[in-house]
Amino acid sequence: AAPSWLARLAGGEVDSLGEVEVVSAVSEAAMTARAPAESLDDVAAKQRWLKSLDVPMWGRAAVALSEAASDAAGMAALSAQCDSGDDVSCRILSEQEEDSQARLERLNVPNWGAAAAVLSVAASDAAAVSHAALEALEAFGFNLKGYRPKGGASPEAEEEE
């Protein structure tokens, strides 16, 4: 079974990145996924680890984190526009101030620029884990041609575009 923090991230509850343990776990998983295996024992251990992963859940987490990073970047842009005197941006921010402040506190970051950075790194890390696990499945002989992640197009459809 996938860790509860991964299930929360995959379900779009990205505020759990405010917990040091969650950030550390995602980062550690990405480092493991990206690390080269230096011996046959390392290769075997890494392959076992990759096979144990819930690949679809890591993929959903990567998508949710990426979408949240994009939203945070949009809020950072609004903040910058407000800081430069744009009254419309300031009005939008003031209407969302209470929710925004609570969200930043849950993410444990001081502003939307920092939130975008944290979420972007976590999205990249989750995508690296998902990608490494998919590559391992292909190496084990699973034919992923036509694999369609939940809510996504098949790889062939993407190639045709």
Side-chain angles (χ1 to χ4, degrees):
S4 63
W5 56 263
L6 180 58
R8 289 192 320 264
L9 290 176
E13 297 176 35
V14 299
D15 292 349
S16 62
L17 278 181
E19 302 167 23
V20 173
E21 300 82 22
V22 174
V23 173
S24 296
V26 172
S27 180
E28 184 177 317
M31 286 189 320
T32 302
R34 291 178 176 129
E38 297 181 13
S39 70
L40 289 178
D41 289 340
D42 289 347
V43 170
K46 186 171 182 176
Q47 294 301 327
R48 279 191 305 278
W49 176 75
L50 289 168
K51 282 174 46 178
S52 74
L53 297 175
D54 186 330
V55 179
M57 192 162 305
W58 276 99
R60 288 192 303 272
V63 169
L65 289 163
S66 180
E67 289 171 353
S70 178
D71 292 345
M75 292 300 289
L78 271 177
S79 294
Q81 291 169 345
C82 178
D83 291 346
S84 68
D86 181 7
D87 293 336
V88 174
S89 297
C90 292
R91 185 172 39 89
I92 292 169
L93 286 173
S94 69
E95 290 171 0
Q96 300 177 7
E97 185 174 1
E98 191 173 310
D99 290 338
S100 293
Q101 197 58 39
R103 183 105 191 262
L104 291 172
E105 287 174 12
R106 286 191 303 271
L107 284 169
N108 199 21
V109 293
N111 57 50
W112 285 111
V118 166
L119 291 163
S120 293
V121 169
S124 175
D125 286 349
V129 173
S130 179
H131 179 74
L134 284 171
E135 282 185 336
L137 287 173
E138 287 177 338
F140 290 127
F142 288 94
N143 181 1
L144 298 177
K145 201 146 182 77
Y147 168 72
R148 188 170 292 164
K150 195 173 202 176
S154 70
E156 292 85 8
E158 291 176 4
E159 289 173 7
E160 293 171 4
E161 292 178 356

